[in-house]
Amino acid sequence: MTNIPKHIAIIMDGNGRWASKRNLPRIVGHQQGVKAVRTVVKACGAMGVNTLTLFAFSSENKNRSSEEVSLLFKLFLTVLKLEVKKLNKHSVRLKIIGDLSLFPDDVQTIAREAQAQLADNTGLTLVIAANYGGQWDIAQAAKQAAQAAIKGDISPEDLTIEGFSKYLSLANEPAVDLLIRSSGELRISNFLLWDVAYSEFYFTDTLWPDFDEAELNIAIESFNHRDRRFGARKET
Ligand code: IPE
Ligand code: IPE
Ligand code: MG
């Protein structure tokens, strides 16, 4: 029987290379990447994954050309507008994590509205990491914890691993079981740091726009062959 990961996180990489290979502008790669997102969201919902976290825009991606950044913001806006109805039909709950203050006002508004509209759904939790960095997340959690301590709501002793993790963006989600990165890069690029403490990693050379359900199934099969020991050993 297949063991379905409770939480899958994906670094969706390779859109630009997919486009360059075809002599197309990078944004076309990002547009094609959205199709792969739809496929993966649908498949994860159908197989009963609890949480799917997608890395859409890293804190470092703002250092790309202003043209690419603004086209990505526009794409994000269009996709959110277009997809909310369909996500709702599939009972998907949406959560957007990251420092959204960088985004244009209309994107911030639609992000807030879409999350509110889908908040009570009970199917797949889809987390979109936008202007997100793992280091940013830990720093913002520390800031919140410090503020709570100054107010006297908590004491420093409350900041155990469990106590501290309540301030992180993924506080209410299960730990990441499987982390996937497409496009052949073998690095974390400041995606989830705290949350991947014991995740299984799966890397594929496939560029994100070509990532499909078959690829997802291969990743899950690979996950099923891992021996997750969590530091302990079975008594013999
Ligand atoms: C990932 O694809 C999408 C984002 C970072 C927004 P890239 O744009 O990084 O594609 P490559 O790595 O240049 O091929
Ligand atoms: C990581 O990919 C961010 C996303 C996939 C959203 P990048 O393409 O930005 O990462 P680097 O620059 O190769 O590390
Ligand atoms: Mg890349």
Side-chain angles (χ1 to χ4, degrees), residues 13-14 17 64:
D13 199 12
R17 277 163 281 170
R64 294 186 177 193

Side-chain angles (χ1 to χ4, degrees), residues 14-32 207 209:
N15 295 348
R17 277 163 281 170
W18 186 94
S20 303
K21 269 172 54 181
R22 291 163 176 78
N23 284 319
L24 294 166
R26 294 179 60 86
I27 191 64
V28 179
H30 297 312
Q31 287 162 346
Q32 290 298 315
L207 302 174

Side-chain angles (χ1 to χ4, degrees), residues 10-14 17 26 54-58 60-61 64 129 181 183 185 187-191:
I10 310 182
I11 302 176
M12 311 183 291
D13 199 12
R17 277 163 281 170
R26 294 179 60 86
L54 300 177
F55 204 10
F57 191 89
S58 77
E60 289 72 31
N61 286 150
R64 294 186 177 193
R181 182 168 190 154
S183 89
E185 306 298 351
R187 56 178 170 263
I188 199 87
S189 299
N190 197 17
F191 189 29

